Amino acid sequence: MHRPVPDPGTRAQISPVGLQDAYRYRYHHGANLGSIFVLEKWLYSRMFDDSAQGGSELDAIQASLATRGLPATTEKWEKHWAGALTDKDISFLVDEARCTTIRLPIGYFTLGPEFCGGTPFEGQPGQVYRNAWSHVLETCVKLASVGMGVLIDMHALPGGANKDSHSGTSSPTAGLWGNSHNLNLAKRSLLFVAHEIASGKIQNCVGLELCNEAAWEAKGMYDFYYDMLREISNVDNTIPIYISDAWKLDAAVNWASKQNSISTANNLVVVDTHRYYTFDEKHKSKSPQEIIQLLPDALTAACSIRGNVHEKGAAPVLIGEWSCVLDGRTWSRVGEDQKDGLTQQFGQSQCEQWYANSCGHTFWTFKMQWMPGGGWGFMAQTRKGNIRAPGYMNIPFDHVEQHISYANSQRDALKAEAVSSHCGYWDKTTPGKHFEHWRYEAGWDDGWADALSFFEFRARQRLGQVGADRIGCLDGWIRKRMREVGQTGPLGWEYEHGFRDAVGKAERLLLSGA
């Protein structure tokens, strides 16, 4: 039973894949910038005088102000920010690592002294940051010039989303949660950044992360997320919003899927989860081989929701931090001669899991004083082959069109077979039930077109000289397309099925041999 098929010329048409679409929805193969705008002593000890009382940004600032005064401290910090990415760094990220995305940690204090009132950074410490946000914007522009996206990560919030020193101070409590002053300042800080993104100052913005590593069972966390989602949607509802899973991925993806239903017009919510295998006793007590065997189950919670936007919504996941580090007790269970090989297996196995089950990853970390960084170093692990970009990111631009031509040569036959199979299956399985199979065909057409558009994004924009892309945040992208063309009704699932089938088949052809 079918309604009349709309004329293809009268169907709602998808908009072309734009520059920001590609930055935000492609697969992210990247790294954290490192300890630049939020200091950690173990990464940059030279920013800490001997008199520093702890390992946080505030400790470093206070010690420097006491030692050398405001002008010299400001000069030292601005030199650190300005040197965040050298030409050699950029060359490595582009030519060796094939990096698509940088997660860029900042603090509320990075926004300047007007955001430091009523906080430990009030007064002279806050004055050091008068030009900090300008340095962030300059870093983003530098990355945009070579086609890399930036995830702005509000790593340090007022009071701290957790009790660790990377929240900006050495406070032993997570003072953000339940504190109205800190929450209001956090909201004001995030809205400032959202307005800056919406105004076009960060053309390559991948998204805005509301907080980093929220404390386990943080009081009022989801209320905070909901309030920020509502308010940022009023500023610009196209900016993907990233949230910390607070070490409970299942709860976070369930919450995200409800915000990301096809009936909601708010920003896409992406869950940031961190995966380390070196800190917990449950991992220290295992051998490297046993830890590697755990990896296929690392993202089970995310997989349980993926693949059915029409009914379940979207819940994309980014592995915002991970490493190739294992504890000494773990390594004590194998011979020294096995360490390099097992580290490579560990790193590559993680890459494979992130590629198969997430919208991407950002390794912790890129920049530190002790480059190239060992097991924590994106450069060191990339050069050892322990981190590998997907093969399609190495395709020369002059080969991209050949891949597209090859895929298009088989398009019509694949489409005919897919449409016939879909219609035949559902008409036979539930005879007499109302369907609108034209929706499947429309989804198929749109999915195929989008898969090719993402694939040729870099070559079309002439960003570098090599590399293609694929839709990494597929569920989020499908939600966007379904809303755009009005496929949110009871039979919108047919559009989604067609879209997914086309993307899968197009990518298999485009990526064959990559």
Side-chain angles (χ1 to χ4, degrees):
M1 180 178 175
H2 312 285
R3 289 181 181 173
V5 178
D7 184 288
T10 65
R11 295 179 194 162
Q13 300 296 305
I14 58 174
S15 58
V17 175
L19 186 66
Q20 286 189 337
D21 294 328
Y23 276 128
R24 292 170 176 179
Y25 289 90
R26 65 181 175 178
Y27 182 76
H28 304 299
H29 175 74
N32 285 266
L33 177 60
S35 182
I36 301 298
F37 295 100
V38 180
L39 290 175
E40 296 183 51
K41 188 173 183 179
W42 71 285
L43 291 171
Y44 268 103
S45 61
R46 68 174 176 234
M47 296 298 291
F48 291 77
D49 290 303
D50 291 341
S51 59
Q53 297 298 301
S56 72
E57 176 91 18
L58 182 64
D59 294 315
I61 283 281
Q62 289 176 330
S64 182
L65 288 169
T67 300
R68 59 183 57 82
L70 179 60
T73 294
T74 301
E75 182 181 1
K76 181 178 181 179
W77 256 248
E78 292 200 4
K79 182 179 179 181
H80 182 65
W81 301 330
L85 287 173
T86 66
D87 290 343
K88 286 185 177 180
D89 292 333
I90 293 290
S91 177
F92 163 77
L93 291 170
V94 173
D95 299 329
E96 294 185 55
R98 304 298 187 214
C99 183
T100 67
T101 309
I102 290 292
R103 181 173 180 253
L104 198 160
I106 65 170
Y108 66 94
F109 42 81
T110 311
L111 307 180
E114 59 269 37
F115 290 89
C116 295
T119 80
F121 287 87
E122 185 174 12
Q124 272 203 334
Q127 296 301 316
V128 175
Y129 302 96
R130 190 166 295 281
N131 297 318
W133 181 244
S134 295
H135 281 278
V136 172
L137 295 178
E138 289 170 8
T139 301
C140 293
V141 168
K142 186 177 291 189
L143 291 166
S145 71
V146 291
M148 274 187 280
V150 177
L151 171 59
I152 300 295
D153 160 36
M154 191 62 77
H155 211 74
L157 285 167
N162 56 61
K163 60 183 180 180
D164 297 312
S165 61
H166 54 68
S167 282
T169 75
S170 294
S171 170
T173 62
L176 171 69
W177 311 113
N179 183 299
S180 59
H181 170 77
N182 288 337
L183 286 167
N184 287 333
L185 179 55
K187 291 176 183 179
R188 187 160 69 89
S189 302
L190 287 161
L191 285 171
F192 170 84
V193 178
H195 278 286
E196 292 284 278
I197 296 168
S199 71
K201 291 184 179 179
I202 309 177
Q203 291 286 328
N204 54 333
C205 179
V206 167
L208 171 58
E209 184 156 358
L210 302 184
C211 80
N212 171 67
E213 291 188 353
W216 177 274
E217 300 287 359
K219 178 183 177 182
M221 181 183 75
Y222 285 109
D223 291 336
F224 172 69
Y225 288 167
Y226 182 79
D227 288 346
M228 290 312 311
L229 183 61
R230 184 185 69 250
E231 294 195 38
I232 294 174
S233 290
N234 291 331
V235 176
D236 182 347
N237 69 356
T238 71
I239 305 168
I241 300 301
Y242 286 67
I243 63 169
S244 165
D245 69 351
W247 310 104
K248 293 180 70 174
L249 180 58
D250 54 350
V253 296
N254 283 329
W255 187 84
S257 68
K258 292 178 174 62
Q259 316 314 311
N260 292 335
S261 77
I262 56 173
S263 63
T264 58
N266 53 253
N267 308 63
L268 176 71
V269 176
V270 182
V271 177
D272 172 20
T273 191
H274 296 174
R275 284 292 179 265
Y276 291 121
Y277 295 88
T278 187
F279 299 120
D280 290 347
E281 183 61 33
K282 65 181 179 181
H283 296 135
K284 292 179 181 180
S285 63
K286 288 181 168 58
S287 69
Q289 295 93 329
E290 289 173 323
I291 290 175
I292 291 167
Q293 290 173 359
L294 297 174
L295 296 177
D297 296 325
L299 300 177
T300 301
C303 297
S304 67
I305 290 179
R306 190 180 62 191
N308 187 351
V309 174
H310 185 262
E311 291 187 12
K312 296 182 178 181
V317 171
L318 176 88
I319 295 78
E321 294 183 18
W322 65 285
S323 79
C324 288
V325 176
L326 294 173
D327 186 69
R329 284 170 55 190
T330 293
W331 287 121
S332 71
R333 290 170 168 79
V334 299
E336 185 66 26
D337 60 334
Q338 295 179 273
K339 188 171 182 178
D340 287 349
L342 285 169
T343 300
Q344 184 165 99
Q345 187 180 351
F346 178 52
Q348 291 182 2
S349 295
Q350 288 183 93
C351 287
E352 290 167 5
Q353 291 302 319
W354 312 157
Y355 182 78
N357 298 310
S358 77
C359 66
H361 69 87
T362 50
F363 187 89
W364 186 270
T365 192
F366 181 37
K367 293 304 291 288
M368 68 272 287
Q369 185 173 320
W370 35 284
M371 294 288 282
W376 295 104
F378 187 60
M379 178 179 286
Q381 296 305 303
T382 296
R383 286 179 169 169
K384 289 183 176 182
N386 302 345
I387 301 174
R388 293 191 300 194
Y392 61 83
M393 294 185 182
N394 294 302
I395 298 174
F397 283 172
D398 57 1
H399 291 181
V400 168
E401 189 57 43
Q402 297 173 24
H403 285 251
I404 290 177
S405 296
Y406 172 66
N408 276 331
S409 70
Q410 302 186 50
R411 177 191 183 280
D412 292 346
L414 288 170
K415 178 186 173 182
E417 180 185 5
V419 171
S420 175
S421 177
H422 173 83
C423 296
Y425 174 82
W426 288 106
D427 290 344
K428 181 179 180 180
T429 302
T430 52
K433 184 176 180 179
H434 173 67
F435 294 105
E436 293 176 4
H437 294 323
W438 65 268
R439 296 180 186 274
Y440 179 90
E441 185 172 354
W444 207 98
D445 289 340
D446 292 348
W448 185 275
D450 282 350
L452 269 60
S453 291
F454 272 81
F455 188 79
E456 66 176 358
F457 161 67
R458 296 193 212 189
R460 187 174 69 245
Q461 297 290 331
R462 307 311 295 178
L463 297 173
Q465 297 182 348
V466 299
D469 285 295
R470 60 179 282 266
I471 307 172
C473 188
L474 182 59
D475 281 10
W477 183 252
I478 289 174
R479 170 185 179 260
K480 181 179 185 296
R481 286 308 202 197
M482 291 178 75
R483 290 189 53 79
E484 183 180 356
V485 298
Q487 294 283 1
T488 59
L491 292 173
W493 64 269
E494 292 200 71
Y495 179 90
E496 180 179 357
H497 281 209
F499 197 103
R500 288 185 186 280
D501 185 78
V503 170
K505 288 172 178 173
E507 287 187 348
R508 279 193 290 275
L509 292 171
L510 291 167
L511 306 182
S512 60

